[in-house]
């Protein structure tokens, strides 16, 4: 049974979400602080975490970083659930490695749909192990590892997903809107500098090997194997 951890300090809201997730067939656990959530996760790792950003002890963003830096917990999908709904807040949460961002107030039905969509995406990403390569770049999907000329390159979860998408669609132009939708999970109108900034960082980390990621002016990006 899929296990979901709810880290939320509003007890009425946590109870409502907990009840509906259980009714939908999920196993759940709850914590009302960041430290408590991390302790429960380490005791029994969840498949997905619903994370409030404004917690009484540790900021939700810091809790998210701890999840993503913990070898035992980093595979858990994280959906931020927060009253902070500005565009900059959503982008920051996704850049930290969140898989989705739900703004309060929300309908329980929408939350359940988003949770199921994230879990489906996680299952798809954990499909058959594959090593994708182009030029000097190699990406191992099962190990979540990237190497350039045999040397490991450390990428964030978002950078890894971006590179994987470009490798899987090599020689095909990807518009900024498609990348925002497929990599960030954002459907709304968001300033295109978000994609451009991450492409720039990805190229820098890959070094000269990153030159195979080409800019298609006025459209988007394309990975062109040598």
């Amino acid at each position: 049974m899929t296990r979901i951890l709810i880290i939320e300090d509003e007890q009425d809201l946590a109870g409502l979400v907990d009840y509906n997730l259980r009714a939908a067939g999920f196993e759940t656990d709850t914590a009302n602080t960041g430290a408590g959530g991390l302790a429960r996760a380490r005791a029994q790792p969840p498949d997905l975490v619903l994370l409030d950003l404004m917690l009484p002890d540790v900021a939700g963003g810091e809790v998210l970083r701890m999840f993503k830096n913990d070898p035992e917990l980093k595979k858990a999908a994280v959906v931020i659930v927060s009253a902070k709904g500005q565009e900059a807040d959503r982008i920051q949460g996704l850049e930290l490695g969140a898989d989705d961002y739900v703004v309060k107030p929300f309908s329980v039905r929408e939350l359940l749909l988003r949770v199921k969509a994230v879990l489906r995406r996680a299952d798809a990403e954990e499909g058959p192990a594959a090593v994708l390569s182009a030029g000097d770049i190699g990406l191992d999907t099962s190990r979540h590892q990237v190497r350039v000329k045999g040397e490991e390159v450390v990428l964030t979860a978002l950078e890894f997903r971006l590179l994987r998408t470009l490798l899987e669609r090599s020689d095909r132009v990807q518009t900024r809107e498609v990348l925002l939708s497929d990599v960030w999970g954002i459907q709304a109108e968001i300033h295109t500098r978000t994609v451009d900034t991450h492409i720039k960082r990805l190229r820098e980390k890959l070094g000269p090997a990153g030159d195979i990621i080409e800019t298609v002016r006025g459209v988007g990006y394309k990975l062109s194997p040598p």
Side-chain angles (χ1 to χ4, degrees):
M1 186 180 292
T2 302
R3 180 177 176 79
I4 298 178
L5 173 61
I6 304 160
I7 306 178
E8 169 63 65
D9 65 331
E10 294 181 45
Q11 292 190 6
D12 289 345
L13 179 59
L16 176 66
V17 172
D18 179 74
Y19 172 81
N20 282 275
L21 286 171
R22 286 180 180 273
F26 295 106
E27 179 184 344
T28 63
D29 196 1
T30 60
N32 56 17
T33 65
L38 285 162
R40 289 183 181 277
R42 286 171 179 144
Q44 195 168 0
D47 298 294
L48 183 142
V49 180
L50 293 176
L51 175 64
D52 183 20
L53 287 182
M54 294 183 284
L55 297 167
D57 57 342
V58 184
E62 185 59 29
V63 175
L64 177 55
R65 285 192 191 93
M66 292 179 186
F67 266 92
K68 295 305 177 183
N69 290 330
D70 189 311
E72 299 299 319
L73 301 179
K74 66 181 182 181
K75 287 187 177 181
V78 178
V79 176
I80 290 175
V81 181
S82 175
K84 299 173 73 173
Q86 295 297 314
E87 178 182 297
D89 296 319
R90 290 185 289 132
I91 291 174
Q92 183 180 37
L94 293 165
E95 287 178 345
L96 286 173
D99 295 271
D100 202 352
Y101 196 112
V102 178
V103 179
K104 299 176 182 177
F106 54 83
S107 74
V108 173
R109 183 171 179 271
E110 179 195 359
L111 180 64
L112 287 172
L113 289 172
R114 301 277 279 272
V115 163
K116 290 175 181 177
V118 168
L119 289 170
R120 279 198 303 272
R121 191 166 70 202
D123 286 342
E125 289 182 356
E126 284 201 3
V131 176
L132 306 173
S133 62
D136 294 324
I137 301 169
L139 181 149
D140 190 321
T141 61
S142 62
R143 294 181 179 177
H144 211 270
Q145 191 176 71
V146 172
R147 291 184 179 275
V148 174
K149 291 185 176 180
E151 295 294 320
E152 185 174 359
V153 176
V154 179
L155 302 182
T156 66
L158 199 57
E159 289 164 349
F160 184 90
R161 201 151 61 212
L162 177 58
L163 179 59
R164 176 175 177 167
T165 299
L166 291 170
L167 283 167
E168 288 177 336
R169 305 172 186 179
S170 63
D171 267 334
R172 286 182 284 167
V173 176
Q174 302 300 305
T175 66
R176 292 174 175 85
E177 291 73 22
V178 165
L179 291 172
L180 281 170
S181 174
D182 294 352
V183 177
W184 276 260
I186 298 175
Q187 302 294 335
E189 293 290 328
I190 298 241
H191 201 283
T192 54
R193 289 300 298 171
T194 300
V195 177
D196 298 339
T197 299
H198 278 79
I199 289 286
K200 181 175 182 290
R201 289 180 191 165
L202 181 58
R203 282 172 172 158
E204 288 172 352
K205 287 189 177 183
L206 295 173
D211 291 345
I212 63 174
I213 302 175
E214 299 178 0
T215 301
V216 181
R217 294 189 66 179
V219 182
Y221 296 94
K222 178 177 72 169
L223 190 147
S224 297

